[in-house]
Amino acid sequence: MTISDDEFIWFYQDCIADLLVGGDSSMPSMGGCYVSYKIGCTEKEWYEKAMAALTRLGISGVIHCWHTRDDIRIVLKELFFDRSSMTWDSYYFELTEYGEKLAKKFRLDEEEDVETRVFPDFREELERILNEHGVGFDVDLPYDQLISLDGE
């Protein structure tokens, strides 16, 4: 699976920049399926792209959920099965220390055009990180592992 530049900007680059600058309240890119037209997709496709981004960023250790810092998979499983805005709005995501260092390394909090152009060096670094954790853009995501969680 490859992702377009617009998808990379919206679901990864700008999302990480928003978390660095404004915290979770600045994450319309994930729960905001009502703006799916911005990258030319349906709400269902938006949900799938947001779920994929959260899975990749969570499993790779770039973000964590404020509620369950130890195992983001628990939250991912609930989001995987429940598309309601009530569920999506009830979880707060933050950058991990690792994610914060990554975002600051590429100065995502200082760049004015983080929402409009891909930063190639950042994309390359993030792709390397995702690949190291087995959740790169060209692999099937481990949704089967989420489904089989005991749901503690």
Side-chain angles (χ1 to χ4, degrees):
M1 170 187 185
T2 59
I3 64 168
S4 71
D5 286 350
D6 287 342
E7 292 169 355
F8 181 80
I9 290 169
W10 191 270
F11 291 104
Y12 298 89
Q13 182 175 286
D14 189 41
C15 172
I16 291 171
D18 283 347
L19 287 175
L20 180 62
V21 174
D24 183 78
S25 63
S26 299
M27 279 188 68
S29 55
M30 294 305 180
C33 63
Y34 55 88
V35 290
S36 56
Y37 67 89
K38 287 193 175 201
I39 59 167
C41 65
T42 66
E43 288 188 10
K44 180 180 182 217
E45 291 168 331
W46 184 276
Y47 168 81
E48 291 168 358
K49 292 173 191 304
M51 192 68 226
L54 287 172
T55 300
R56 286 185 175 105
L57 295 173
I59 290 177
S60 67
V62 174
I63 65 170
H64 62 156
C65 184
W66 183 77
H67 299 294
T68 58
R69 290 178 190 252
D70 294 332
D71 193 352
I72 196 169
R73 295 175 311 144
I74 296 166
V75 172
L76 294 174
K77 179 180 179 179
E78 186 168 344
L79 294 175
F80 185 79
F81 284 115
D82 188 351
R83 296 182 188 190
S84 71
S85 61
M86 186 173 175
T87 299
W88 278 72
D89 292 344
S90 67
Y91 289 112
Y92 297 95
F93 296 93
E94 302 171 316
L95 291 175
T96 61
E97 187 177 318
Y98 179 62
E100 189 172 329
K101 286 180 184 177
L102 174 68
K104 287 181 176 179
K105 175 180 176 181
F106 292 95
R107 299 182 1 210
L108 296 185
D109 56 338
E110 298 174 20
E111 298 289 343
E112 292 181 15
D113 53 353
V114 72
E115 298 176 3
T116 57
R117 75 171 180 93
V118 172
F119 295 3
D121 292 340
F122 174 71
R123 185 174 184 150
E124 184 179 308
E125 179 75 7
L126 184 60
E127 285 186 31
R128 182 191 62 74
I129 291 166
L130 299 178
N131 286 332
E132 283 180 1
H133 289 88
V135 289
F137 295 128
D138 59 348
V139 300
D140 290 332
L141 293 174
Y143 292 134
D144 58 332
Q145 292 175 15
L146 297 179
I147 294 169
S148 65
L149 285 176
D150 288 331
E152 299 174 34

